[in-house]
Amino acid sequence: MSTPDRRTLIADTAIATVAAAGLRGLTHRAVDNAAGLPAGSTSYYFRTRTALIEACYRRLAESDLADVDQDAPVLPLPQAGGGAPEEDGEGGGDGQQVGRDEAAAALASVLHRWMTTGRERQLARFELSLEAARNPELRTELHRAGLGARARAAGILAALGAARPERSAELLVAWTEGVLYDHLVGALAATRPVPTVPELTGTVRRMLDAALAAEVPERP
């Protein structure tokens, strides 16, 4: 196994370990055992627990963006000409413009994955993120890992017509995180079913509308 492959295996196993046993269960020995690696392998690649958690941040960010690419390939990207598609998705003719409804459906598909087959990884992501609030050494890497999602959200919003997509992206990411957290670990999470893709599509469409509406200055 090559070094990059082994690093990925260790990071994936560490994430799964946190999902199953919490941060208290994350030790180099536990990862070695779960990954079926010789004793000392994890500490060889990631000397400290901080380094191991930082590897988890990078792998989580990479995996989440890969899910977006797989489940939502129609999501719009900023257009070279600076133009924005029509709100109903019927503007333009280059085949790349996507309206709000299509963007909402694509993002809903990603959210549904994270609430179902990707649930354990998202639980680990939330728990690992909280650790950065306690350990200042982790904050830089957590910040860096979060930039990809915000850049992707800004690209989506720019293509949908946002004048200040970076600011609107902060709202969209925050709302998405809130919806995901509430359905995974919120007070009612254990008592209600996972929303369907159509239900999530309606939720995401409202989030997109609100993020784009925030671009419009209030009238005096």
Side-chain angles (χ1 to χ4, degrees):
M1 182 183 297
S2 67
T3 295
D5 289 342
R6 183 158 291 191
R7 287 179 179 275
T8 298
L9 171 62
I10 289 171
D12 285 340
T13 304
I15 291 166
T17 298
V18 173
L23 275 167
R24 288 182 297 180
L26 182 63
T27 65
H28 288 77
R29 178 178 295 180
V31 175
D32 285 341
N33 291 337
L37 294 172
S41 296
T42 299
S43 61
Y44 175 81
Y45 289 101
F46 305 104
R47 293 289 185 183
T48 65
R49 193 167 186 268
T50 294
L52 182 58
I53 292 175
E54 288 175 337
C56 291
Y57 291 157
R58 293 189 292 271
R59 181 58 176 161
L60 285 164
E62 175 187 325
S63 299
D64 284 352
L65 287 177
D67 286 347
V68 174
D69 290 339
Q70 179 177 335
D71 289 354
V74 300
L75 285 179
L77 298 173
Q79 299 174 50
E86 299 282 344
E87 181 174 320
D88 61 5
E90 295 178 357
D94 62 4
Q96 295 181 341
Q97 295 179 336
V98 180
R100 294 187 193 184
D101 286 341
E102 195 169 359
L107 283 171
S109 179
V110 177
L111 267 177
H112 190 265
R113 172 195 280 260
W114 290 343
M115 291 180 185
T116 54
T117 59
R119 178 179 181 274
E120 297 304 312
R121 194 176 78 222
Q122 295 305 313
L123 289 175
R125 182 171 67 83
F126 284 127
E127 187 153 1
L128 285 160
S129 296
L130 287 171
E131 184 66 9
R134 309 181 188 100
N135 183 353
E137 294 182 27
L138 292 169
R139 291 174 189 168
T140 298
E141 194 61 46
L142 177 63
H143 172 78
R144 186 180 294 117
L147 294 178
R150 284 157 178 79
R152 189 62 182 273
I156 294 166
L157 291 165
L160 291 175
R164 294 176 292 179
E166 290 79 12
R167 292 184 61 180
S168 296
E170 294 293 329
L171 292 174
L172 183 58
V173 170
W175 292 333
T176 300
E177 290 280 71
V179 169
L180 190 59
Y181 185 91
D182 185 54
H183 282 283
L184 289 180
V185 299
L188 302 180
T191 64
R192 61 188 176 189
V194 174
T196 64
V197 173
E199 288 171 339
L200 287 170
T201 298
T203 298
V204 175
R205 174 59 199 255
R206 290 192 292 274
M207 292 194 302
L208 288 173
D209 288 345
L212 291 164
E215 294 280 328
V216 180
E218 294 184 2
R219 294 182 178 180

